[in-house]
Amino acid sequence: MPAPLCVALIGYGVAGSAFHAPFIATIPDFRLTAIVTGSHERRTRALRDHPGVSLLESADEIWAGPDEFDLVVVAAPNKAHVPLGLAALAAGLPVVVDKPLATSAAEGRTLVDAARERGLMLTVFHNRRWDGDFLTVRRLLAEEALGRVLRFESRFECWRPEIAHGWRDQPDAGGGLLLDLGSHLVDQAIQLFGPAQAVYAELELRRPGAEVDDDDFVALEHAEGVRSHLWMSAVSGQKGPRFRVLGDRAAYKKHGLDVQEQALRAGRSPTEPGWGEEPRELWGRLGAGEELREVPTEPGSYGAFYEGVARSLREDSPPPVDPLEAIAALEVLEAARSSSQERKVVQLAQ
């Protein structure tokens, strides 16, 4: 077996510690070689989680010795994605960027252009493509179990009435739910139903002292006629269904979140037996009227993303997420912001 690919992980907050490091550290193709964080608490936690990893104070230490690494993973705040990604590419290193790829489509294109010019892999961690419930919806569509789809409803909602005052609540850091959860929701909708041709949005600042959007609704009209209704909120005292997909023969409704996130935040390892499997009581239901049946949820697998990264680096195959698809989602998010500001439907160029 070839030697593992050495990975430098930039950032050890929730994204770095819970969503990236566990897979980098457990997939045989990789070795988590270095973690960049200036926080004493996070450095202590990183050494506890990954004994023997090198701790770096600054990403500049990576660029000073790029030959020691085969891949850079950027899990820093949103505003840092583009400058860190460009620096990694300039150092001759392939890059995984946590979503969103950038805070604007134009900035995202600078990353794509830089990667193309240098012949280096660039991909985006749209891990929600490997949520079990999303994979289930995708399977039901492939089986034509709902007939012709009329409307797709998707939500990420929670009850956090108090502002946490982290970078996600700061406009200068690229915060707000539209860029955060909206990146996932729009990406999933486009993956299922193709490009959006029209966007309508309502972006609100609900909580006292809020500086960024925390209660959003985005409606998409897809080129093939399906309409997607997407919600993201920090002020939902009661959550709606995660998915409700309405077809002309049947509907699928599913509550609850993919089980992987809770397991990762609890410190569980993706190598555990039954990883990503959802208990039966959380399964969604398919049918119409009173004729409903349970639908087993597909096992979720965020590790499939990093397995795809390994194949791309070793075999020169396409990356698991095409960054151009991430830019298409950013264009929709920008149209949503314009729609909310101008109170009108925004048409997208086809």
Side-chain angles (χ1 to χ4, degrees):
M1 187 172 178
L5 300 162
C6 294
V7 181
L9 172 62
I10 303 176
Y12 206 69
V14 172
S17 65
F19 287 94
H20 291 277
F23 299 101
I24 299 168
T26 56
I27 291 176
D29 278 295
F30 296 109
R31 175 183 294 128
L32 184 54
T33 305
I35 295 174
V36 178
T37 178
S39 163
H40 175 74
E41 184 273 330
R42 291 178 181 178
R43 292 168 71 87
T44 301
R45 179 153 47 95
L47 281 177
R48 181 197 65 207
D49 296 343
H50 306 283
V53 73
S54 295
L55 295 178
L56 307 180
E57 288 277 355
S58 166
D60 291 340
E61 296 178 61
I62 301 173
W63 323 141
D67 293 343
E68 298 178 22
F69 305 103
D70 301 296
L71 175 69
V72 170
V73 175
V74 177
N78 293 346
K79 274 291 189 182
H81 289 183
V82 170
L84 288 172
L86 289 173
L89 294 168
L93 293 167
V95 189
V96 170
V97 180
D98 199 78
K99 65 80 207 165
L101 174 65
T103 57
S104 72
E107 285 190 333
R109 291 188 195 96
T110 65
L111 271 177
V112 170
D113 291 344
R116 184 182 294 119
E117 289 169 4
R118 293 168 174 80
L120 295 169
M121 187 208 72
L122 169 68
T123 190
V124 191
F125 190 61
H126 272 296
N127 60 304
R128 296 291 180 178
R129 295 187 185 186
W130 290 272
D131 274 355
D133 47 19
F134 176 75
L135 295 174
T136 304
V137 171
R138 176 160 259 173
R139 174 171 60 81
L140 293 174
L141 296 179
E143 295 170 353
E144 299 184 346
L146 294 90
R148 180 172 62 90
V149 175
L150 309 174
R151 187 164 76 241
F152 172 65
E153 299 177 2
S154 179
R155 294 171 173 83
F156 280 126
E157 297 176 327
C158 65
W159 177 242
R160 285 200 297 259
E162 302 296 328
I163 297 174
H165 298 292
W167 67 262
R168 287 180 175 81
D169 293 314
Q170 301 172 5
D172 292 343
L177 288 187
L178 186 68
L179 269 178
D180 185 12
L181 301 178
S183 295
H184 287 309
L185 294 173
V186 168
D187 179 72
Q188 287 184 333
I190 292 174
Q191 286 296 300
L192 293 174
F193 303 111
Q197 62 183 15
V199 181
Y200 168 79
E202 300 166 5
L203 312 181
E204 306 292 348
L205 284 68
R206 301 290 195 187
R207 296 173 295 179
E211 297 183 80
V212 294
D213 58 287
D214 56 11
D215 184 32
D216 301 344
F217 169 71
V218 177
L220 310 181
E221 181 183 348
H222 296 272
E224 296 187 358
V226 178
R227 294 181 184 270
S228 290
H229 289 177
L230 313 174
W231 290 265
M232 59 225 79
S233 178
V235 291
S236 292
Q238 295 190 44
K239 302 175 185 177
R242 173 67 186 89
F243 287 119
R244 194 169 77 124
V245 192
L246 306 179
D248 62 1
R249 291 207 310 265
Y252 172 72
K253 185 165 70 171
K254 171 75 173 65
H255 288 267
L257 293 175
D258 178 274
V259 296
Q260 293 176 94
E261 177 174 353
Q262 183 178 4
L264 291 165
R265 286 176 177 267
R268 291 174 53 196
S269 171
T271 60
E272 293 179 13
W275 179 262
E277 295 180 3
E278 187 177 72
R280 181 170 183 169
E281 59 267 24
L282 296 179
W283 291 355
R285 283 167 172 73
L286 173 71
E290 301 300 318
E291 297 183 10
L292 305 178
R293 65 176 177 87
E294 292 179 324
V295 176
T297 302
E298 294 286 319
S301 178
Y302 296 161
F305 172 86
Y306 272 105
E307 291 167 358
V309 172
R311 285 193 299 273
S312 182
L313 293 176
R314 294 200 186 280
E315 303 170 13
D316 197 27
S317 60
V321 175
D322 186 336
L324 292 177
E325 294 175 348
I327 290 174
L330 285 169
E331 291 173 340
V332 171
L333 297 180
E334 290 177 351
R337 203 171 296 282
S338 295
S339 170
S340 181
Q341 291 170 347
E342 300 170 17
R343 297 184 179 274
K344 69 177 187 180
V345 174
V346 174
Q347 301 293 327
L348 293 175
Q350 300 298 307

